[in-house]
Amino acid sequence: MAVLVIADHDGSTVRDTTNKTVTAALGLSSDVDVLVVGQGAQAAADSAARIAGVRKVLLAESAGLGHGLAEAVEATVAPLAADYDAILTPASTDGKNFAPRIAAKLDVAPISDIVEVVSADTFVRPIYAGNALETVQSSDAKKVITVRPTAFNAAAEGGSAPVESVAGADAPRTAFVSEEMVKSDRPELGAAKIIVSGGRALGSAEEFHAVMEPLADKLGAAIGASRAAVDAGYAPNDYQVGQTGKVVAPQLYVAVGISGAIQHLAGMKDSKTIVAINKDPDAPIFQVADYGLVADYKTAVPELLAALG
Ligand SMILES: Cc1cc2nc3c(=O)[nH]c(=O)nc-3n(C[C@H](O)[C@H](O)[C@H](O)COP(=O)(O)OP(=O)(O)OC[C@H]3O[C@@H](n4cnc5c(N)ncnc54)[C@H](O)[C@@H]3O)c2cc1C
């Protein structure tokens, strides 16, 4: 049995989520190849080659792949699929975009967001916003799977796999027009070791930034937000943590003025240490918090900043 992992990368290096997906893939088979798609992505392919346990790295390049077009990824992967029994990719924004398209092309059911590999055909995945775990067994000849990276440890560095070029397809009927990227010096939310997250309690965009940014700066943290804070315009969309936002599992998650609705918990309850500041002692966030502070954030956050020095 051979497994292909489609890498998540930034053009120069593979993201940690790729190492975690390799760990999941090694649970299916010891024959794991990594496919790097992009344009000018040789350095990313070289970094994939250093992941321990990887047999070989395939590098596919084209203009469409450089812009991450799902149609180009599917057209590149489909011809390679003949050599593989399973295709895995992180459940990132890109992976969630192209994996169903690849599955449709191969006429198999995609298996999304797995958190455990039970055997080569059986997987565990969360359902109902993480309130239940479902064990699914697939009888499809080829599996197309997205992997929840926070559920797996990252495969270590130390490999030296060969890198081989393969044909990179273009998107036949789709053209890249433009993209707007949010530039930030802060750590990326999905990869941050510390996240400070603000909720509806902050009351305005000005207050959100005035309270959350000094705290994030002090802790070297990424900033997250509840959906209520995002919907109210206090924070940008890409800050949202939860069922319909990002799923994170940092070492430390500090929730400020967030009630802890199940849809929010679905995105952060696997964090190693959770600190909650909320003035309502009955707020559900305290059920998952390791440290809970029943307090008004307006006094608690300045006190915390002062204590941090
Ligand atoms: C299909 C679906 C998907 C969803 N997806 C997501 C998702 O991905 N992410 C997400 O976050 N939500 C999601 N939601 C919304 C979710 O149900 C909640 O509405 C939302 O998480 C609430 O955000 P909040 O905790 O900031 O606001 P609230 O629930 O209004 O909580 C605000 C909290 O702040 C506290 N507070 C108020 N003033 C202060 C103060 N001065 N100091 C300290 N504490 C204070 C209050 O006690 C309260 O607990 C989804 C909902 C649906 C239906």
Side-chain angles (χ1 to χ4, degrees), residues 199-201 226-228 240-245 257-261 263-264 277-280 283 295-297:
R200 195 196 314 261
S226 70
R227 176 161 159 181
Q240 187 176 316
V241 171
Q243 182 188 343
T244 42
I258 292 179
S259 60
Q263 296 90 353
H264 188 79
I277 302 171
N278 194 304
K279 67 179 185 185
D280 175 5
D296 190 326
Y297 78 83

Side-chain angles (χ1 to χ4, degrees), residues 2-306:
V3 180
L4 183 67
V5 169
I6 306 172
D8 186 19
H9 67 91
D10 64 6
S12 52
T13 181
V14 289
R15 296 196 172 91
D16 188 45
T17 49
T18 301
N19 298 53
K20 291 173 173 174
T21 304
V22 167
T23 300
L26 289 167
L28 278 89
S29 165
S30 53
D31 292 335
V32 174
D33 296 347
V34 174
L35 171 67
V36 173
V37 296
Q39 197 176 33
Q42 179 70 47
D46 292 342
S47 78
R50 292 193 290 274
I51 302 175
V54 171
R55 184 175 65 170
K56 71 177 170 193
V57 174
L58 308 178
L59 172 61
E61 301 190 274
S62 76
L65 292 172
H67 293 301
L69 298 181
E71 293 80 357
V73 179
E74 174 250 296
T76 301
V77 174
L80 299 172
D83 295 336
Y84 297 96
D85 304 286
I87 297 169
L88 273 66
T89 195
S92 61
T93 310
D94 284 339
K96 288 181 199 170
N97 190 16
F98 60 67
R101 181 172 275 278
I102 295 168
K105 185 75 179 178
L106 300 177
D107 198 19
V108 301
I111 305 166
S112 59
D113 219 13
I114 64 161
V115 295
E116 187 187 333
V117 175
V118 178
S119 69
D121 66 359
T122 307
F123 311 93
V124 179
R125 59 186 294 274
I127 54 171
Y128 302 132
N131 279 317
L133 293 172
E134 173 184 66
T135 302
V136 289
Q137 186 173 30
S138 167
S139 55
D140 280 326
K142 287 188 198 300
K143 324 285 183 234
V144 176
I145 298 169
T146 62
V147 174
R148 182 176 285 201
T150 55
F152 294 89
N153 293 322
E157 300 289 303
S160 56
V163 179
E164 194 178 287
S165 283
V166 294
D170 248 317
R173 286 190 296 275
T174 309
F176 172 80
V177 178
S178 68
E179 67 184 354
E180 280 178 41
M181 302 288 281
V182 178
K183 292 207 172 60
S184 170
D185 294 335
R186 296 189 194 287
E188 198 190 337
L189 197 53
K193 299 219 163 7
I194 304 177
I195 294 174
V196 295
S197 214
R200 195 196 314 261
L202 279 301
S204 70
E206 295 71 30
E207 179 73 351
F208 188 95
H209 294 294
V211 173
M212 303 308 294
E213 282 177 6
L215 191 55
D217 289 344
K218 189 69 84 179
L219 293 170
I223 302 181
S226 70
R227 176 161 159 181
V230 169
D231 285 352
Y234 307 163
N237 271 339
D238 58 334
Y239 280 24
Q240 187 176 316
V241 171
Q243 182 188 343
T244 42
K246 296 207 168 100
V247 177
V248 299
Q251 296 294 322
L252 174 64
Y253 187 90
V254 183
V256 179
I258 292 179
S259 60
I262 52 164
Q263 296 90 353
H264 188 79
L265 300 187
M268 46 62 75
K269 67 177 163 38
D270 291 332
S271 304
K272 301 289 173 292
T273 301
I274 297 172
V275 175
I277 302 171
N278 194 304
K279 67 179 185 185
D280 175 5
D282 297 322
I285 191 82
F286 290 129
Q287 289 166 18
V288 298
D290 299 285
Y291 299 93
L293 191 55
V294 179
D296 190 326
Y297 78 83
K298 289 181 182 152
T299 49
V301 172
E303 281 174 15
L304 180 57
L305 284 172

